[in-house]
Amino acid sequence: MDWRRFIAEAVAGGSLLQATFSQPRNKETIARKTSVRPLKLKNGLHFQLERLQDNKAFHENVPEQAAAERLTALMGEYRQALIKTRQADVQLLANKKGAVTMIRHDPTAKTREPAASHNRVKSYVLPEGEPVPFLIRLGVMTPEGRVVKAKHDKFRQINRFLEMVADVLPDLPRGRPLTVVDFGSGKSYLTFALYHMLAVREGLPVNIIGLDLKADVIEECSRIAEDLAWHNLKFYVGDIAEYEGQTQVDMMVTLHACDTATDAALLKAIRWDASVILSVPCCQHELFRQISQPILKPLLKHGILKERFAALVTDALRANLLETAGYRTQMLEFIDLEHTPKNLMIRAVKGRQENRSETRAEYERLRDFLSVSPYMEREWPKMNRTT
């Protein structure tokens, strides 16, 4: 089969999974690599072209009707292409005169089907072996797409986070630009990952803000966002409790914000009526100092047990208060215990919540039993909002 016909049939038949064009004929003017993948948008199937040049990614969404012609034209810019379809992998090799040789690799049914399934599962996460510009810039990947050995746990954490985000994408509003705030963004691995998923992979109009107290970290993150030409990703120095930069936020993220900083972030998300909340709490000291219950003395007399118990109680009370505010709340394992003890994520999605009065009563019974006064409840009236 002629290689041009192969490309046309792969696009028209819906079997094209991925294409990678490499070895540019002119390194001065052509991106060193162009990746192509199918992308479903509101106005139909498109194919997203990602050009990687100087560690910056440039994206273009090509309608299905024009995709075969564009891919054929790309072969005139590169000496090599690897095209993956549901049936086979095909390698295209061009000589100096421009003649293209097509080499077909037909995997067996036994090896092909799991791979295809794996590709579908990983459509929302970052695959290993494929260069991702922001991961390269953050030192997680090499320019060839290999995960740096010392950063493999971070790579795994990023992918787990994106899996959790993928589950709630249908709960985000459509038809207008989305606003996402990441409180306590730190070095912003996950902030960059969010932008990559929402803006680059999903093609959604989005403005993402990262907030942290460390000025040097914010300066570096801002520089990376500028280098990547991600103009709708901004970083600011600021305190979570005092932040007033937005009046409407669609998704609020806070990962490992210390002690009551997590509570302050959750309260702001409730006030903003955020559609999605993702929170991984950290170092919950507040209730550790307050808990008092003689019946639990066998547990509370051991410091390490009291610390863990206090952390679980803190998150349980937070979840109940979110439910009384109209959120469906889940407790999820963020990453495995061997990587960090702070491995619980509170994922809350705005929606109709039944029996809110009973949920509030459950909260009050547990609060009173343990003689605690949580930050979220104390600060709740200051929101000037009826929940």
Side-chain angles (χ1 to χ4, degrees):
M1 181 188 295
D2 177 74
W3 66 274
R4 296 177 183 83
R5 181 183 169 190
F6 166 74
I7 289 178
E9 291 184 357
V11 170
S15 65
L16 180 64
L17 299 174
Q18 183 184 19
T20 304
F21 295 82
S22 57
Q23 296 185 20
R25 295 177 182 273
N26 188 331
K27 295 181 180 180
E28 299 295 325
T29 59
I30 305 299
R32 64 182 177 86
K33 183 178 291 187
T34 296
S35 300
V36 182
R37 70 179 187 92
L39 179 69
K40 288 185 178 180
L41 300 178
K42 290 186 293 185
N43 56 344
L45 179 65
H46 285 62
F47 287 82
Q48 185 175 86
L49 275 61
E50 180 180 88
R51 294 180 179 269
L52 190 62
Q53 195 163 14
D54 299 326
N55 283 345
K56 294 183 181 180
F58 303 89
H59 298 90
E60 177 187 3
N61 295 332
V62 178
E64 181 182 13
Q65 298 82 354
E69 184 178 349
R70 284 299 302 276
L71 267 63
T72 301
L74 278 175
M75 201 57 214
E77 301 177 7
Y78 294 90
R79 294 188 177 91
Q80 179 174 297
L82 178 62
I83 300 175
K84 296 184 177 183
T85 70
R86 298 192 187 282
Q87 296 76 31
D89 294 345
V90 171
Q91 190 174 16
L92 303 179
L93 300 173
N95 62 23
K96 293 182 179 179
K97 295 182 179 180
V100 177
T101 301
M102 186 170 73
I103 304 172
R104 184 183 180 97
H105 305 279
D106 288 298
T108 64
K110 183 178 290 186
T111 59
R112 188 61 177 181
E113 287 307 315
S117 175
H118 178 73
N119 284 337
R120 286 194 294 272
V121 171
K122 295 295 182 182
S123 60
Y124 283 123
V125 298
L126 309 174
E128 188 169 0
E130 180 180 317
V132 180
F134 86 89
L135 290 179
I136 295 170
R137 189 66 177 77
L138 291 170
V140 177
M141 267 187 179
T142 67
E144 295 75 32
R146 187 175 67 255
V147 177
V148 176
K149 186 176 181 180
K151 295 288 186 179
H152 196 81
D153 285 350
K154 177 59 66 175
F155 179 74
R156 185 169 177 271
Q157 182 196 53
I158 291 169
N159 275 294
R160 176 63 177 143
F161 174 69
L162 292 183
E163 289 173 1
M164 291 177 162
V165 174
D167 290 341
V168 295
L169 286 180
D171 297 291
L172 291 171
R174 295 292 190 270
R176 59 173 174 79
L178 300 172
T179 298
V180 179
V181 173
D182 184 355
F183 281 133
S185 54
K187 294 183 179 180
S188 301
Y189 292 98
L190 302 185
T191 323
F192 283 104
L194 260 179
Y195 190 91
H196 180 84
M197 167 175 274
L198 297 177
V200 178
R201 290 291 185 98
E202 295 299 314
L204 297 173
V206 63
N207 296 296
I208 297 183
I209 296 161
L211 188 79
D212 200 88
L213 289 170
K214 299 177 181 177
D216 57 334
V217 173
I218 290 298
E219 183 180 354
E220 175 63 15
C221 292
S222 298
R223 187 181 301 113
I224 294 172
E226 184 177 348
D227 290 345
L228 293 168
W230 288 1
H231 304 302
N232 293 327
L233 174 59
K234 304 291 184 184
F235 295 93
Y236 300 102
V237 177
D239 179 81
I240 294 174
E242 298 176 0
Y243 180 74
E244 298 294 341
Q246 300 293 321
T247 57
Q248 182 183 50
V249 170
D250 300 296
M251 177 189 287
M252 190 283 292
V253 178
T254 177
L255 301 170
H256 298 153
C258 288
D259 202 17
T260 57
T262 292
D263 300 286
L266 294 176
L267 285 172
K268 286 186 179 296
I270 294 171
R271 188 182 69 189
W272 286 326
D273 204 29
S275 298
V276 174
I277 297 171
L278 302 174
S279 176
V280 179
C282 182
C283 52
Q284 299 109 316
H285 298 311
E286 185 196 27
L287 298 194
F288 178 85
R289 295 186 292 266
Q290 296 182 23
I291 288 178
S292 176
Q293 175 49 254
I295 295 175
L296 297 178
K297 184 177 179 180
L299 184 154
L300 300 178
K301 70 180 180 180
H302 300 287
I304 189 170
L305 296 181
K306 182 180 179 181
E307 180 183 3
R308 293 181 182 180
F309 179 71
L312 292 174
V313 168
T314 301
D315 288 339
L317 292 174
R318 286 166 172 163
N320 268 44
L321 284 177
L322 285 167
E323 289 170 359
T324 65
Y327 286 86
R328 302 190 308 274
T329 305
Q330 296 173 287
M331 289 291 181
L332 304 172
E333 186 175 73
F334 181 33
I335 50 179
D336 291 343
L337 283 169
E338 62 261 33
H339 299 299
T340 173
K342 309 299 181 183
N343 73 319
L344 289 182
M345 172 182 280
I346 302 172
R347 186 170 71 185
V349 175
K350 190 70 176 178
R352 184 177 179 82
Q353 185 69 30
E354 303 294 340
N355 300 319
R356 288 165 65 175
S357 59
E358 176 57 27
T359 300
R360 177 72 189 193
E362 290 174 355
Y363 165 85
E364 292 176 353
R365 285 194 292 269
L366 179 58
R367 176 202 64 192
D368 294 345
F369 176 72
L370 297 173
S371 302
V372 295
S373 175
Y375 176 97
M376 278 187 70
E377 183 181 5
R378 296 198 311 273
E379 296 295 313
W380 196 287
K382 297 181 182 179
M383 293 194 301
N384 295 317
R385 181 177 183 275
T386 301
T387 58

